[in-house]
């Protein structure tokens, strides 16, 4: 199988974002709607961490958020859906849309220089300050952390 890699540091990060998302989608494509909606952590105070459904609805909206932070820095129009609980099928489709949205956001920026990347400073609503590379790394790790959380939820599943 032939794999095409994007050029540049930003291209490499987008390739890894796609890879992390593909791993997550692979897990989701092999679970039932019942496993998806089952409350896995009834004791958490975080409404985004009760079930795979709540985790993934959070992941989807956050995916748009990461792209929109970048779009703001490059004076691009931003858009994202309203937060809502998604079905399993909707979630899988939305993950593809997020990847397309991020790729459109970064198109033409794959080979930014280290200096250009370091000068692209993004302040988030949760209080963090990141350069472009750090924000993309954060987006990738966000997917990985929640994939791990979902794997743990599935280990506790009665099915």
């Amino acid at each position: 199988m032939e794999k095409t890699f994007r050029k540049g540091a930003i291209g490499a990060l987008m390739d890894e974002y796609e890879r992390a998302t593909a791993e997550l989608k692979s897990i989701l494509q092999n679970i039932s709607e019942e496993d998806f909606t089952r409350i896995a952590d009834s004791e958490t105070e975080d409404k985004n961490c009760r079930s795979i459904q709540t985790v993934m609805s959070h992941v989807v909206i956050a995916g748009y958020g990461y792209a929109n932070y970048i779009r703001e820095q490059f004076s691009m129009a931003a858009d994202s859906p309203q937060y809502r609980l998604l079905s399993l099928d909707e979630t899988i489709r939305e993950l593809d849309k997020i990847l397309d949205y991020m790729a459109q956001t970064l198109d033409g920026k794959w080979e930014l220089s280290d200096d250009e990347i370091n000068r692209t400073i993004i302040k988030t609503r949760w209080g963090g300050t990141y350069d472009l590379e750090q924000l993309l790394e954060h987006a990738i790790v966000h997917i990985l952390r929640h994939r791990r959380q979902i794997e743990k939820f599935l280990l506790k599943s009665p099915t």
Side-chain angles (χ1 to χ4, degrees):
M1 171 178 9
E2 189 171 319
K3 169 81 172 134
T4 303
F5 295 96
R6 293 178 178 89
K7 294 182 179 182
I10 301 302
L13 288 166
M14 184 65 208
D15 290 346
E16 291 303 317
Y17 193 44
E18 286 177 340
R19 181 185 300 215
T21 303
E23 291 172 358
L24 176 56
K25 278 178 51 182
S26 177
I27 292 167
L28 295 173
Q29 289 166 334
N30 289 296
I31 66 172
S32 68
E33 189 75 32
E34 182 181 349
D35 282 339
F36 185 70
T37 58
R38 178 181 294 109
I39 301 299
D41 186 350
S42 60
E43 296 180 19
T44 184
E45 293 183 24
D46 186 343
K47 67 180 175 67
N48 294 317
C49 294
R50 291 191 177 119
S51 66
I52 297 172
Q53 182 182 38
T54 62
V55 169
M56 287 310 305
S57 295
H58 160 74
V59 166
V60 166
I61 209 71
Y64 284 102
Y66 292 120
N68 287 337
Y69 279 126
I70 297 166
R71 284 173 172 254
E72 184 177 317
Q73 289 303 304
F74 292 108
S75 301
M76 298 169 71
D79 190 26
S80 62
Q82 282 287 93
Y83 175 86
R84 65 182 180 86
L85 288 178
L86 301 168
S87 71
L88 179 55
D89 288 340
E90 288 174 316
T91 297
I92 292 168
R93 285 192 304 273
E94 283 296 325
L95 288 172
D96 290 333
K97 289 179 186 178
I98 291 166
L99 291 175
D100 289 342
Y101 189 64
M102 183 65 86
Q104 291 167 12
T105 300
L106 298 172
D107 191 40
K109 299 168 185 60
W110 309 124
E111 296 183 86
L112 289 176
S113 70
D114 287 343
D115 190 48
E116 291 170 312
I117 292 168
N118 292 334
R119 283 194 323 252
T120 305
I121 302 299
I122 300 160
K123 294 182 194 258
T124 65
R125 71 178 178 280
W126 64 82
T129 302
Y130 302 87
D131 67 29
L132 179 58
E133 180 176 27
Q134 291 168 324
L135 187 74
L136 287 169
E137 289 169 345
H138 193 282
I140 293 164
V141 172
H142 189 251
I143 295 285
L144 297 174
R145 285 175 45 217
H146 286 302
R147 186 212 64 221
R148 177 182 177 273
Q149 180 182 26
I150 289 167
E151 289 171 332
K152 289 173 67 177
F153 280 1
L154 290 169
L155 286 174
K156 293 193 306 188
S157 175
T159 58

